[in-house]
Amino acid sequence: MPRSGTGSRREGQNPRPSGRGACQRLYDAESFARLELIRTLRELGLGLGHVRAVLSGEQTVAEVAAAHVAALDAQILPQRGDPQLKVTRAVLSTVARRGSSAEEMTLMNKLARLSAAERQRIVDDFVAEIFEGLDTADPWIRERTRTLGVALPDEPTPEQVDAWVELAELLQNPDFRAAMRRMIEFNAADRGPDTPAGASQWFFRKLVDIVGAARARGVAPEAPEADAVLTEVFGEDTDRAAVLRRIDAGDEVSRYRELAAVIKGARTPPRYQEEFGWVVAALKAWPGR
């Protein structure tokens, strides 16, 4: 018996969404994005004229950010400036310098205004993933990773805001997490249950001291003397190719260390970064026998 064209539907079969419903959802998504943009612009102190200019496409968020930075400078006194105004200026300065999109600006503003506890949760999630199941990894490395780059000052500079935003993005990058996970796996594989905590720190300092002295003498990674330096650091029978795989983690890990240094307020790259760079170059020049 033929079924009626209306009111009849197989059990468990969902009705096809109407075109009107799909348009409504799209409209809702666009409306939400528009409201989020307006909220962010207003939170950053931009007037209605600038907001309308961005919404109409007359100006980009980077253009209005650059214009507003100058206006903020007149409000912020070096000794008594409002910390929140300084964060606002830092965000706008970064947006202007990067030429950020509206979406990037919104994310940047949120990341810059996170509390210390919220920043720590981002880092803790990262640490939990890269150390999962690696119980023999040195606790010193875990704690160092957990605290590196989290302490954004109450009154950050534009460079520190920029560094924190980039670091937070990097910590959530799957490729970077995989690279850091490999480094932790190498560390865990070298340690037994009786290896004392902090042994990695001792070796770390030994490497920095020996290589630092070599660099002070003017020893280049390609020079024959570099071969002897590597032997002093790693021993006579070490598989240098394996060592290279372990410490040459790539540009992202180096960038991670640079960003952490900027957040701490360091004006120059940390010494160990230059020493490890020397070791990587020397291992490539002198791969051993």
Side-chain angles (χ1 to χ4, degrees), residues 14-32:
N14 294 323
R16 180 178 300 175
S18 67
R20 180 179 178 183
C23 288
Q24 183 68 40
R25 286 192 295 274
L26 179 60
Y27 174 78
D28 289 345
E30 291 176 347
S31 298
F32 177 79

Side-chain angles (χ1 to χ4, degrees), residues 214-215 217-227 229 278 281-282 285-286:
R215 292 182 69 243
R217 296 194 305 271
V219 178
E222 301 80 14
E225 189 180 344
D227 188 10
V229 174
W278 188 98
W286 303 95

